Amino acid sequence: MWSALPVHVVRETGAVFDTAPLVFYPGGVQKAFGREPRRLVRRAETGRIRIAVPTVCLFEVARLEERGRIRLRTSFDEWCDAIEGDAALLLLPLERRHAMGYSPASPAPST
């Protein structure tokens, strides 16, 4: 019976974080953001939208830390747990189809 199923509220995804804002976000260093990104972060933190985070950004952060370009305030595992557990963020999976078209031997992705 349909009424027995749980009802979930799905918030709109209002923005996508790339690697740079993702590095600054968990530490609360949104001063580095412009006016519009700060507004989007406030909307996400109050539950009105979610900010999408492509999983590949986690790899990029790991590489930046490994190369000494950034220094996280916690271990990488703890940092990832914070990203994954943040209700304002929506971690997007990385699938093979996302990479299609980026190899010279692969056909261009269809839209």
Side-chain angles (χ1 to χ4, degrees):
M1 175 167 221
W2 291 103
S3 62
L5 295 174
V7 176
H8 298 283
V9 176
V10 178
R11 291 179 282 158
E12 160 192 351
T13 300
V16 177
F17 267 174
D18 196 1
T19 304
L22 185 61
V23 168
F24 292 114
Y25 174 77
V29 190
Q30 287 112 31
K31 294 180 281 187
F33 296 174
R35 175 186 278 163
E36 183 62 18
R38 280 194 312 267
R39 186 182 70 77
L40 289 168
V41 166
R42 280 193 304 275
R43 290 184 68 208
E45 289 175 340
T46 59
R48 295 181 6 228
I49 64 167
R50 290 183 87 183
I51 298 173
V53 176
T55 303
V56 71
C57 292
L58 303 181
F59 290 100
E60 292 172 352
V61 169
R63 294 297 307 235
L64 288 169
E65 185 181 40
E66 177 183 79
R67 293 178 177 172
R69 302 245 172 114
I70 64 169
R71 185 172 173 175
L72 299 174
R73 294 180 182 176
T74 64
S75 72
F76 180 71
D77 284 340
E78 291 171 333
W79 182 85
C80 285
D81 288 344
I83 295 297
E84 197 170 33
D86 191 318
L89 304 178
L90 174 63
L91 197 57
L92 301 176
L94 179 63
E95 299 175 10
R96 179 177 177 223
R97 65 185 174 89
H98 295 135
M100 295 305 295
Y102 295 99
S103 165
S106 298
S110 60
T111 54

